[in-house]
């Protein structure tokens, strides 16, 4: 479908979190003659434009969970690994959780002797952040739902 110069351009809503910019032209627009096409594919939206190329967007997959899943206490478990030094693990516990040295050492020794230690328990969102930070320090940490 070709749009004449007197017709206002088509407007459509993009609701995706991913956009492919391959084939897009970054040159300045010289005239306003646009050719726009939209194609609906389940889970994807594609918009073509003779000046800018093709933009493909994917509908994000949304994981739904009930309020109960979010409110249930979650616990962060750190597992033993043969790579990291005890002093390093103690330092990570102090930095991530703000534990005093004695408490961080107690958790480190529990990990060393028992193979795992529960470091923190609480709401899911901060727990996920803590696990991500521990992974950033290359520690093996998991998030478990308490019963």
């Amino acid at each position: 479908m070709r749009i004449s110069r007197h017709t206002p351009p088509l407007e459509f809503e993009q609701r995706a979190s991913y956009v492919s910019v391959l084939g897009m032209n970054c040159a300045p627009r010289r005239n306003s003659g646009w050719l726009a096409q939209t194609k609906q594919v389940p889970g994807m939206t594609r918009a073509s434009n003779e000046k800018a190329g093709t933009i493909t967007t994917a509908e994000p997959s949304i994981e739904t969970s009930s309020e109960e899943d979010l409110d249930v206490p979650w616990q962060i478990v750190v597992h033993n690994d043969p790579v990291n030094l005890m002093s390093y693990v103690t330092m990570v516990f102090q930095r991530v959780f703000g534990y005093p040295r004695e408490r961080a050492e107690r958790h480190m020794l529990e990990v060393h002797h028992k193979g795992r230690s529960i470091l923190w328990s609480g709401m899911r969102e901060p727990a996920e952040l803590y696990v991500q930070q521990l992974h950033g320090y290359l520690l093996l940490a998991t998030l478990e739902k308490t019963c």
Side-chain angles (χ1 to χ4, degrees), residues 18-36:
Y18 303 103
V19 176
S20 172
V21 292
L22 298 175
M24 288 185 68
N25 185 0
C26 295
R29 186 169 49 167
R30 294 191 182 166
N31 62 20
S32 61
W34 293 93
L35 174 64

Side-chain angles (χ1 to χ4, degrees), residues 4 6 9 47 49 61 76 94 106 109 125 131 143 147:
S4 69
H6 302 297
N49 183 302
S61 61
I76 299 170
Q94 288 177 293
R106 190 169 54 245
L109 288 172
E125 281 190 33
V131 168
L143 183 61
C147 296

